[in-house]
């Protein structure tokens, strides 16, 4: 089967500012894929182009085999969309809006089952506008998946979630991906979340994908250089290297024994990510 | 438009209508705002007579308020609702759903028609009970004028709603012109009280013609002494309202399509940010 999402040489300009400068992406069917990047990197822009809400400046894009700029209702019925900020349908009831939107699809989830799955059974009769931030976000997720989409887009879905809700949300997504074979593309700022949830992650910085792969591959790819410090002739010396173990061995040889004040610091994945973002910016 | 979108749209419109009826504040505004003010006016000047005729002001005002209800719902309430739906992201939500925009538009129309129907009934009842107005003597004319008058202004209201930046601007931009038309269009005061230049301007807008058509259905011919040309001019009523309807129907789909196509999450976020900081 073809890839769920395939993007080649995607470019996007807002006026003179080029936000995307040749993005390449390939998301497989059934995969949970995260797009990671700092504020303003172009995550929302990318995802909106894939959703067919924004026209690109250049490049080839195929989402479930269709160019989003030409996607009709049949194509749209296969997508689920959770945007970064929803405030809509405030006067509707929680269950009422889920039931209403489910009617647009051929084989929707049962509204009550869905309420239970996102933990909103107690709020079924409540007005949408009175939900707390995290509850509202859960409703958004429910509305995103009500039509049993083949492909679900989530733009920063877990902002405003407490740790427990976040955990439940991760489990829900994993279940949906495993049971229904749903493909998920989500954006986040949170490296830890990406590492935990995603089969694969791409990092978007400076308008390009600067790293992409499984958590382990990513860790290797972004691993920043380690810093080796020691004392020599009463002064502190430092050295940055990809291979700190080798550097330490060479130092021991040179000193013919223990190296005074030897210190090796291997940066964490998070520090490495921050450095990668810094390098690209 | 497919059958499913139409069916969901009708249900949606009805659901939103019921939400308005259940909302206590909304209900109070409607009751006090339309029926209450109207009843007070009737009690105050309802017994006077329209100058030069033996028609009571109560009867005259009943037809006038009816015309104004249709007009203000279509050209004020509808644009504000559209602008609010855009700002809140309701329009965008329906864009994410197959057939959602069609269902949305159907729903808006249904809600509007329900509201017009409820308010019209309320005004008619108030006019009859408080103002002692007789029921219309010409029901067919009443119905076609109400329907054609609605069709004349609803697409126009939708078009205006698409052009407005937001719901707050809607109130500010639309409020004064609406008041102006209300005073000059002969629905609150006979149009022949106005200077001739104002009469000409009033006749360019659909409110005057709708008011005239409704008066034809309600009032005795004695009222003709205070009408332009001394006639009900019903063929003109039909022609002018139809012309406005056609103009609106040509304009509205273009604008609605433009607005719904452009809607996206980041645009929404931008607008919400702008609204917060202003
Ligand atoms: N409609 C627009 N017109 C002009 N510039 C825009 C528009 N939308 C986004 N941008 C700019 O494009 C860049 C990328 O924005 P985008 O919203 O895609 O970033 P993001 O990665 O989603 O950021 P965040 O993490 O803050 O959500 C930003 O610099 C933004 O200011
Ligand atoms: Mg974003």
């Amino acid at each position: 089967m073809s890839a769920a999402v395939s993007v080649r040489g995607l470019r996007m300009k807002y006026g003179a500012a080029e936000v995307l400068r040749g993005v390449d992406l390939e998301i497989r069917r059934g995969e949970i894929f995260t797009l990671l990047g700092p504020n303003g990197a172009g995550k929302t822009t990318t995802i909106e182009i894939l959703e067919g809400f924004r026209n690109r400046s250049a490049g080839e894009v195929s989402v479930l085999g269709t160019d989003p700029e030409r996607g009709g209702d049949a194509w749209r019925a296969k997508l689920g969309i959770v945007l970064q900020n929803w405030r809509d349908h405030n006067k509707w009831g929680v269950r009422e809006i889920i039931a209403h939107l489910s009617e647009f699809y051929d084989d929707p989830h049962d509204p009550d089952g869905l309420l239970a799955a996102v933990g909103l059974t107690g709020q079924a009769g409540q007005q949408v506008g009175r939900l707390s931030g995290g509850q509202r976000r859960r409703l958004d997720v429910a509305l995103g998946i009500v039509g049993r989409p083949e492909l679900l887009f989530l733009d920063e879905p877990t902002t405003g979630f407490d740790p427990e809700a976040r955990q439940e949300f991760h489990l829900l997504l994993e279940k949906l991906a495993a049971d229904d074979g749903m493909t998920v593309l989500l954006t986040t700022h949170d490296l830890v979340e990406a590492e935990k949830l995603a089969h694969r992650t791409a990092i978007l910085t400076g308008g390009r994908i600067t790293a992409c792969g499984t958590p382990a591959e990513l860790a290797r790819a972004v691993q920043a250089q380690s810093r080796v410090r020691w004392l020599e002739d009463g002064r502190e010396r430092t050295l940055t290297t990809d291979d700190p173990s080798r550097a330490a061995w060479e130092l021991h040889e040179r000193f013919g024994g223990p190296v005074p004040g030897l210190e090796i610091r291997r940066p964490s994945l998070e520090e490495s990510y921050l450095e990668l973002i810094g390098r690209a910016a | 438009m497919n059958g499913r979108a139409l069916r969901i749209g009708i249900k949606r419109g009805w659901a939103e209508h019921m939400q308005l009826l259940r909302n206590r504040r909304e209900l109070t505004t409607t009751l006090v705002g339309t029926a209450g003010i109207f009843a007070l006016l009737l009690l105050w000047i309802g017994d006077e007579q329209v100058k030069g005729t033996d028609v009571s002001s109560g009867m005259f005002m009943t037809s006038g308020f009816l015309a104004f209800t249709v007009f203000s719902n279509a050209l004020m309430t509808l644009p504000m609702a559209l602008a609010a739906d855009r700002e809140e992201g309701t329009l965008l939500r329906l864009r994410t759903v197959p057939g959602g925009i069609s269902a949305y538009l159907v729903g808006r129309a249904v809600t509007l028609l329900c509201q017009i129907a409820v308010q019209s009934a309320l005004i008619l009842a108030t006019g009859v009970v408080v103002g002692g107005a007789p029921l219309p003597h010409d029901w067919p004319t009443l119905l076609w004028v109400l329907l054609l008058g609605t069709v004349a202004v609803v697409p126009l209201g939708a078009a205006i709603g698409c052009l407005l930046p937001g719901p707050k601007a809607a109130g500010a931009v639309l409020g004064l012109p609406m008041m102006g038309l209300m005073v000059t269009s002969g629905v609150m005061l006979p149009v022949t009280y106005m200077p001739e230049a104002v009469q000409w301007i009033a006749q360019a807008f659909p409110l005057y013609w709708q008011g005239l058509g409704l008066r034809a259905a309600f009032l005795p011919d004695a009222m003709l002494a205070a009408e332009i040309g001394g006639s009900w001019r019903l063929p003109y009523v039909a022609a002018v309202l139809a012309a406005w309807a056609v103009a609106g129907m040509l304009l509205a789909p273009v604008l609605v399509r433009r607005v719904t196509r452009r809607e996206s999450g980041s645009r929404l976020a931008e607008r919400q940010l702008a609204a917060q900081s202003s």
Side-chain angles (χ1 to χ4, degrees):
Chain A
M1 219 184 331
S2 65
V5 174
S6 152
V7 174
R8 227 159 308 188
L10 174 61
R11 289 173 177 275
M12 186 68 194
K13 272 190 193 152
Y14 291 116
E18 192 163 41
V19 175
L20 303 177
R21 315 172 184 198
V23 168
D24 297 306
L25 269 183
E26 189 95 2
I27 302 174
R28 299 175 201 130
R29 301 238 177 195
E31 184 167 54
I32 299 182
F33 192 97
T34 55
L35 191 59
L36 188 67
N39 285 134
K43 302 183 295 296
T44 298
T45 302
T46 305
I47 224 170
E48 285 189 352
I49 289 171
L50 299 181
E51 290 163 347
F53 285 168
R54 209 169 255 289
N55 290 348
R56 58 191 184 266
S57 308
E60 280 171 49
V61 177
S62 159
V63 173
L64 299 176
T66 301
D67 182 336
E69 287 182 22
R70 280 188 280 281
D73 276 346
W75 174 74
R76 192 148 289 297
K78 294 189 269 185
L79 304 182
I81 291 175
V82 179
L83 296 185
Q84 205 168 341
N85 282 299
W86 282 120
R87 280 201 323 208
D88 63 305
H89 287 97
N90 273 338
K91 296 200 177 107
W92 288 64
V94 170
R95 191 186 181 284
E96 189 184 22
I97 186 65
I98 295 181
H100 173 58
L101 290 181
S102 75
E103 288 190 62
F104 287 90
Y105 299 93
D106 290 329
D107 178 29
H109 281 285
D110 165 57
D112 294 310
L114 202 52
L115 278 171
V118 297
L120 285 177
T121 305
Q123 281 74 33
Q126 198 167 322
Q127 211 177 312
V128 172
R130 304 225 169 99
L131 294 177
S132 77
Q135 289 170 341
R136 168 82 229 206
R137 223 53 202 124
R138 296 189 213 190
L139 173 65
D140 290 337
V141 171
L143 294 177
I145 60 180
V146 69
R148 282 186 210 279
E150 283 176 33
L151 172 59
L152 177 65
F153 293 106
L154 298 148
D155 200 354
E156 293 182 31
T158 52
T159 1
F161 277 21
D162 60 39
E164 196 189 338
R166 189 179 288 250
Q167 172 76 24
E168 280 169 16
F169 171 74
H170 290 172
L171 291 175
L172 175 66
L173 274 193
E174 277 159 12
K175 185 169 145 45
L176 285 166
D179 297 356
D180 298 356
M182 190 171 76
T183 311
V184 180
L185 169 58
L186 91 161
T187 70
T188 177
H189 293 135
D190 186 351
L191 181 74
V192 180
E193 174 164 70
E195 216 188 339
K196 190 157 162 235
L197 190 59
H199 300 133
R200 287 192 309 143
T201 297
I203 297 178
L204 181 63
T205 41
R208 288 200 184 79
I209 302 293
T210 41
C212 180
T214 62
E217 284 167 351
L218 206 65
R220 238 174 291 132
V222 305
Q223 184 64 61
Q225 291 194 317
S226 302
R227 187 187 297 269
V228 182
R229 275 201 286 195
W230 70 97
L231 290 170
E232 190 165 354
D233 308 330
R235 281 196 307 141
E236 185 172 280
R237 309 278 295 262
T238 61
L239 169 89
T240 51
T241 172
D242 288 326
D243 193 349
S245 150
R246 179 171 193 90
W249 180 64
E250 280 169 4
L251 277 173
H252 280 108
E253 289 228 302
R254 188 139 65 80
F255 278 84
V259 182
L262 180 67
E263 213 178 285
I264 297 177
R265 241 182 77 68
R266 199 186 275 272
S268 70
L269 191 54
E270 183 132 27
E271 285 168 317
S272 302
Y273 168 64
L274 287 175
E275 198 196 305
L276 182 80
I277 293 174
R279 241 187 284 154
Chain B
M1 164 105 46
N2 57 31
R4 180 191 276 180
L6 186 65
R7 183 176 54 78
I8 302 176
I10 293 172
K11 272 178 84 173
R12 178 183 170 84
W14 183 252
E16 295 215 305
H17 175 62
M18 293 313 287
Q19 285 163 18
L20 286 173
L21 288 188
R22 258 183 262 125
N23 182 324
R24 205 170 301 151
R25 215 179 61 195
E26 198 82 39
L27 200 61
T28 322
T29 328
T30 313
L31 284 176
V32 174
T34 48
I37 291 181
F38 181 45
L40 284 180
L41 269 176
L42 283 175
L43 290 174
W44 184 31
I45 51 169
D47 290 336
E48 288 171 25
Q49 292 192 340
V50 178
K51 224 186 326 180
T53 71
D54 59 0
V55 174
S56 77
S57 300
M59 281 167 78
F60 176 80
M61 284 193 305
T62 302
S63 59
F65 259 85
L66 217 48
F68 188 68
T69 296
V70 173
F71 195 69
S72 67
N73 268 299
L75 294 182
M76 190 97 178
T77 312
L78 177 63
M80 284 170 76
L82 283 174
D85 286 340
R86 211 146 40 97
E87 179 157 298
E88 287 178 4
T90 298
L91 208 55
L92 180 59
R93 168 79 72 190
L94 285 145
R95 232 197 124 183
T96 68
V97 165
I101 293 293
S102 308
Y104 169 79
L105 292 173
V106 172
R108 266 274 152 263
V110 169
T111 310
L112 184 69
L113 294 181
C114 288
Q115 278 179 283
I116 289 179
V118 167
Q119 291 176 23
S120 298
L122 213 60
I123 283 177
L124 201 54
T126 313
V128 171
V129 173
V130 183
L135 285 170
H137 57 75
D138 187 354
W139 284 96
T141 304
L142 175 84
L143 283 183
W144 79 251
V145 173
L146 268 184
L147 282 180
L148 187 60
T150 305
V151 176
V153 284
V154 167
L156 205 63
I160 294 175
C162 294
L163 293 174
L164 291 168
K168 276 187 207 135
V173 172
L174 294 174
L176 268 181
M178 293 296 293
M179 292 303 286
L181 278 177
M182 183 170 106
V183 172
T184 57
S185 286
V187 293
M188 300 296 144
L189 295 167
V191 74
T192 46
Y193 288 15
M194 297 287 150
E196 195 175 327
V198 175
Q199 291 182 24
W200 279 108
I201 297 172
Q203 288 181 73
F205 290 96
L207 180 56
Y208 167 77
W209 296 99
Q210 173 147 32
L212 182 62
L214 291 178
R215 287 196 293 282
F218 268 97
L219 304 184
D221 286 351
M223 178 67 201
L224 287 175
E227 295 292 354
I228 297 173
S231 152
W232 293 124
R233 295 193 285 168
L234 285 178
Y236 283 93
V237 171
V240 177
L241 291 182
W244 274 98
V246 170
M249 284 180 194
L250 290 178
L251 190 64
V254 180
L255 290 174
V256 168
R257 215 172 298 136
R258 202 188 67 166
V259 161
T260 52
R261 278 225 187 108
R262 282 169 131 210
E263 210 50 45
S264 76
S266 39
R267 284 220 173 78
L268 186 67
E270 252 168 65
R271 271 203 310 273
Q272 291 176 348
L273 266 183
Q276 275 162 19
S277 59
S278 70

